[in-house]
Amino acid sequence: MLHIVACIKQVPDTKIIKMNPKTNTMDRASAPAILNPYDAHAVEEAVRLKQRYGGIVSVVTMGPPPAVKAIRKCVEIGADEGYLVTDRAFAGADTLATSYAITMAIKKIAEKQPVDLVICGKMTIDGDTGQVGPGIARRLDIPPLTSVKKVVEVNKQQGYAIVHRKLEDGYEVIQSSLPCLFSVEKEINEVPYSPLPNMLRAARYNPIVWSVNDLGDIDRTLLGLKGSPTIVAKVWPPEKPKGGEMLQGSTSEQVANLMDILREKRGLFRVKEGQV
Amino acid sequence: MNLDEYRGIWVYIEVRDGRIAPVSLELLGAGRQMADKRGVPLAGLMIGEGIRPLAETLFPYGADQVYVYDNRIFSDYRTESYMRAVIECARKHKPEIILYGATSTGKDLASAVATDLETGLTADTTMLDVNAETGLLEASRPAFGGNIMATILCKKHRPQMATVRPKVMKALEPDETRTGEIIDEHISLNEEDIRTKVLKIVRETKEKVRLDEADVIVAGGKGLGSKEGFGLIHRFAVKIGATVGASRDAVEAGWIDHEHQVGQTGVTVTPKIYFAIGISGAIQHLVGMRNSGLIIAINKDPDALIFQSCHYGIVGDAFEIIPMLMEAFQEEPDKEVSYG
Ligand SMILES: Cc1cc2nc3c(=O)[nH]c(=O)nc-3n(C[C@H](O)[C@H](O)[C@H](O)COP(=O)(O)OP(=O)(O)OC[C@H]3O[C@@H](n4cnc5c(N)ncnc54)[C@H](O)[C@@H]3O)c2cc1C
Ligand SMILES: Nc1ncnc2c1ncn2[C@@H]1O[C@H](COP(=O)(O)O)[C@@H](O)[C@H]1O
């Protein structure tokens, strides 16, 4: 029986998001909140391991109350239990403060049943750092395994896991003692359409909600804005695209024109004689 | 924490297969400028097995000192062993700043180190500066899918740390007359203390795609219409000796592997020339390529967003234009640059 905890986050869909040009802040209302796409793979992998070895999957998120929706999405994928850790004290957390809060929540979850494995997504699409996963692992004092693209084996009896970690030009097969933490790549699995019974269960599912007071012996100075060593000093819109020069004329004139431009850069091309 | 005790700028030197990662040299270049502005030394920190001979090659690139951990236990990169070395070295010598390449190894290592040192870490930085008096590191990065740029500061904790995207900083022209000091470091660490073991390293035999290091990229999108249509991109790329890139939609259509994807969820690239062919120019794609030297867009929709983010644009059908371009390359008379 494995107990796997997947860490998930609800994020604004950055594809649709609009920025307020005056304040340079996100107009959160303009973007639908979704389950961080990478975290869907984390939950899916947890569910697959549960199916393979038996066990339960808990998901945990630190976020505002509407994050319940993201937890329901995880239940659709097959998670058994969801924990929403929500409190004003967490607001403004950077990755260090976030990993602290989530670690405290995982410790509390582990009181019910010891945790064998923690799975995170590669990164979030809003924070976009990939730092929270390794941070949780360090705080739990378990090995962090990032860039995991395949889980070969999880052997609870003998206390180890074997995974493939993606490298720049291949992968490494790495063995770690359990418990440990994986940050998973998107390619680790495909998240299929959820089976109907999961959908029905998810629609009615209400997660366990904890505030800071529920997290036991927690050091409040390490939470939220106060506990964050980094601050955002300034935000500004990325350089406005100036817009390119559109080449004019007939197609062959345009191509000739482009060749003139490229000719100046010819040193950059390394064309070999006799290819194509 | 007495911030004044911390002095000097460090670059974590990543060694892969006995070679120094290009991003480490780029960071020495950026670090040199900041160190001069602050009037402090610039050091490299190098960990591995049999790597000591590489240390002196860092001096021409700007390092004043190189800390070296050369030990069997470091033969493979492992978070647990490498982080112990970085943490111990930082506690002992107290640098004010540590920079890492935003590679998978650099990010993995820096995330773990930052947690133990309880300090701030800015991810995927694309602009770096330091305040000459206060020593505050100003690390700027794109956020929210590239919708904004943000400058991150770490005021009360040291060392200040950042991972920095490859190919955005510039390495110095090596100056062979420069010298420096190699400082050998030792750590007592036993194999039993490490809970992970690398069983095997598998190099994929297929030619590896190094989009992030390519000088010329030909990228294709959904506009190519089909896997066969995308073949045009491959042929053009081969013709001009370029590397193939793709939009996410082309990847998701199954026309090409994910490792070719450029953008927010793909690779960030900064080639000298980037061809965007049949790509609409969604913000998630733009964040991955907009720092390219010369961007050439070909799209049949005159209102395509990509035309607002390119240097030169051609409105037209890729299937007409690319073959003509390939022909033009073919006819290029100057064989010395060996066109076709
Ligand atoms: C969280 C998230 C992350 C994402 N990450 C990435 C990422 O990393 N990289 C990425 O690329 N996208 C990413 N996307 C997707 C992105 O938003 C766009 O959907 C995608 O880039 C569009 O791909 P495209 O331009 O190829 O396709 P389309 O938007 O369909 O554009 C095709 C273009 O081809 C043109 N065209 C059609 N036929 C021809 C022809 N014969 N000749 C010339 N032009 C032609 C059309 O006019 C059109 O402009 C992400 C989205 C999300 C939500
Ligand atoms: N607020 C959060 N609650 C739960 N898990 C999180 C949270 N933020 C980040 N994570 C986890 O950490 C991973 C990396 O996030 P990030 O460092 O923000 O890119 C995510 O994919 C999640 O698995």
Side-chain angles (χ1 to χ4, degrees):
Chain A
M1 280 280 285
L2 287 174
H3 185 195
I4 308 172
V5 175
C7 302
I8 64 123
K9 188 180 181 192
Q10 188 178 48
V11 296
D13 190 338
T14 48
K15 181 174 181 180
I16 325 202
I17 200 153
K18 291 200 176 60
M19 303 301 292
N20 179 334
K22 289 208 187 80
T23 57
N24 279 321
T25 48
M26 295 189 308
D27 176 8
R28 279 201 183 249
S30 74
I34 55 172
L35 171 63
N36 179 39
Y38 290 99
D39 298 348
H41 296 282
V43 178
E44 173 69 20
E45 197 59 26
V47 170
R48 289 185 188 199
L49 291 173
K50 169 180 94 170
Q51 285 161 355
R52 207 157 119 196
Y53 298 107
I56 61 164
V57 173
S58 305
V59 299
V60 60
T61 188
M62 177 187 91
V68 166
K69 258 189 74 186
I71 290 184
R72 293 206 176 107
K73 179 75 200 164
C74 299
V75 172
E76 280 184 23
I77 298 173
D80 299 292
E81 201 73 273
Y83 298 85
L84 169 62
V85 193
T86 186
D87 203 300
R88 287 212 170 273
F90 299 134
D94 73 356
T95 54
L96 196 71
T98 300
S99 69
Y100 179 64
I102 296 169
T103 299
M104 292 306 285
I106 293 175
K107 284 187 174 161
K108 170 132 180 167
I109 293 170
E111 286 172 11
K112 294 191 188 173
Q113 187 183 340
V115 173
D116 303 294
L117 189 61
V118 181
I119 306 187
C120 288
K122 178 194 177 76
M123 62 181 190
T124 53
I125 61 169
D126 59 347
D128 192 6
T129 73
Q131 290 169 189
V132 170
I136 295 170
R138 283 308 306 148
R139 291 178 181 283
L140 290 171
D141 192 20
I142 60 177
L145 301 174
T146 55
S147 309
V148 171
K149 62 170 201 154
K150 183 179 175 173
V151 179
V152 179
E153 187 186 357
V154 176
N155 190 324
K156 185 169 174 174
Q157 278 68 40
Q158 308 211 26
Y160 69 83
I162 298 177
V163 300
H164 290 183
R165 276 189 76 225
K166 187 173 171 172
L167 300 175
E168 261 79 13
D169 56 353
Y171 63 91
E172 68 184 13
V173 186
I174 187 160
Q175 174 166 346
S176 169
S177 63
L178 282 179
C180 61
L181 179 143
F182 304 158
S183 292
V184 299
E185 295 287 315
K186 187 179 150 193
E187 66 204 68
I188 193 165
N189 56 42
E190 284 197 17
V191 185
Y193 287 107
S194 303
L196 191 63
N198 288 11
M199 308 267 272
L200 295 175
R201 176 163 183 262
R204 283 178 275 116
Y205 184 78
N206 286 315
I208 295 157
V209 181
W210 286 334
S211 74
V212 85
N213 296 324
D214 297 310
L215 293 184
D217 196 10
I218 197 164
D219 182 347
R220 286 169 188 258
T221 64
L222 300 181
L223 295 175
L225 203 56
K226 260 198 309 231
S228 297
T230 61
I231 56 158
V232 179
K234 187 170 79 172
V235 290
W236 75 94
E239 207 180 310
K240 274 270 170 298
K242 289 170 288 293
E245 179 187 327
M246 302 304 290
L247 303 182
Q248 305 296 334
S250 69
T251 307
S252 54
E253 281 164 1
Q254 290 180 344
V255 169
N257 201 337
L258 181 55
M259 279 309 290
D260 286 340
I261 294 160
L262 292 177
R263 226 168 255 129
E264 282 176 27
K265 310 268 175 187
R266 65 170 134 217
L268 291 175
F269 295 92
R270 46 170 177 85
V271 179
K272 290 180 215 91
E273 200 80 39
Q275 273 189 327
V276 181
Chain B
M1 173 171 269
N2 179 2
L3 303 189
D4 296 334
E5 283 179 9
Y6 290 78
R7 190 164 175 275
I9 296 175
W10 286 10
V11 173
Y12 170 70
I13 305 295
E14 188 175 331
V15 184
R16 278 185 224 143
D17 299 328
R19 292 225 320 269
I20 292 167
V23 66
S24 302
L25 301 180
E26 293 158 21
L27 291 184
L28 285 177
R32 183 72 260 163
Q33 282 186 358
M34 295 198 291
D36 289 342
K37 201 164 162 186
R38 285 280 293 151
V40 298
L42 173 69
L45 169 57
M46 212 167 166
I47 304 168
E49 184 192 14
I51 45 127
R52 193 181 189 277
L54 294 173
E56 61 180 23
T57 66
L58 299 174
F59 301 131
Y61 287 94
D64 300 312
Q65 296 157 335
V66 183
Y67 297 97
V68 180
Y69 287 85
D70 194 331
N71 190 305
R72 269 197 72 178
I73 202 150
F74 300 124
S75 63
D76 293 311
Y77 172 77
R78 286 180 293 177
T79 320
E80 288 201 303
S81 52
Y82 275 55
M83 61 165 262
R84 293 274 281 274
V86 178
I87 291 166
E88 195 169 295
C89 203
R91 288 204 169 121
K92 186 163 151 196
H93 299 288
K94 298 191 180 351
E96 56 193 276
I97 291 172
I98 310 181
L99 306 174
Y100 308 74
T103 59
S104 44
T105 300
K107 295 178 75 153
D108 180 275
L109 179 62
S111 305
V113 169
T115 314
D116 279 54
L117 292 180
E118 295 181 60
T119 192
L121 172 62
T122 304
D124 288 300
T125 307
T126 56
M127 288 163 70
L128 281 173
D129 201 359
V130 70
N131 183 303
E133 281 83 52
T134 61
L136 260 188
L137 177 70
E138 296 166 11
S140 304
R141 62 175 309 230
F144 295 111
N147 287 294
I148 54 169
M149 288 291 295
T151 302
I152 316 288
L153 305 178
C154 171
K155 288 189 169 162
K156 297 188 190 128
H157 299 257
R158 294 290 178 274
Q160 309 167 84
M161 308 213 301
T163 62
V164 183
R165 285 235 156 160
K167 287 217 133 189
V168 288
M169 305 296 155
K170 287 227 154 40
L172 301 176
E173 277 302 320
D175 172 356
E176 301 297 341
T177 63
R178 276 191 50 103
T179 55
E181 180 193 4
I182 296 177
I183 303 158
D184 289 298
E185 292 286 346
H186 302 280
I187 188 168
S188 64
L189 200 57
N190 300 317
E191 194 51 50
E192 306 83 69
D193 302 334
I194 316 288
R195 293 171 288 185
T196 52
K197 191 181 239 107
V198 177
L199 304 179
K200 190 162 74 169
I201 293 181
V202 180
R203 308 278 175 213
E204 316 256 70
T205 42
K206 70 177 168 185
E207 209 179 317
K208 57 179 179 180
V209 191
R210 291 310 307 257
L211 272 180
D212 55 342
E213 288 174 5
D215 280 331
V216 182
I217 292 176
V218 173
K222 203 64 196 286
L224 276 307
S226 65
K227 189 162 191 160
E228 293 66 44
F230 203 86
L232 183 68
I233 298 295
H234 289 289
R235 290 194 296 279
F236 183 40
V238 169
K239 171 108 259 172
I240 64 174
T243 306
V244 174
S247 72
R248 181 165 98 166
D249 287 22
V251 170
E252 293 202 334
W255 302 343
I256 185 157
D257 288 347
H258 177 257
E259 56 191 343
H260 292 268
Q261 182 175 318
V262 172
Q264 181 185 328
T265 45
V267 188
T268 300
V269 299
T270 47
K272 309 249 168 46
I273 306 181
Y274 189 91
F275 290 91
I277 301 168
I279 292 177
S280 59
I283 180 76
Q284 293 84 6
H285 189 80
L286 297 179
V287 293
M289 46 65 87
R290 66 174 153 216
N291 291 330
S292 304
L294 177 67
I295 299 171
I296 294 159
I298 299 171
N299 194 303
K300 69 179 180 192
D301 173 9
D303 297 323
L305 270 177
I306 190 79
F307 289 132
Q308 292 175 26
S309 300
C310 69
H311 298 96
Y312 295 100
I314 296 184
V315 178
D317 185 347
F319 293 98
E320 188 184 347
I321 292 162
I322 301 299
M324 286 171 73
L325 255 181
M326 287 169 68
E327 208 166 299
F329 269 94
Q330 189 73 33
E331 283 162 12
E332 197 58 27
D334 188 348
K335 288 293 181 196
E336 220 162 279
V337 294
S338 62
Y339 280 139

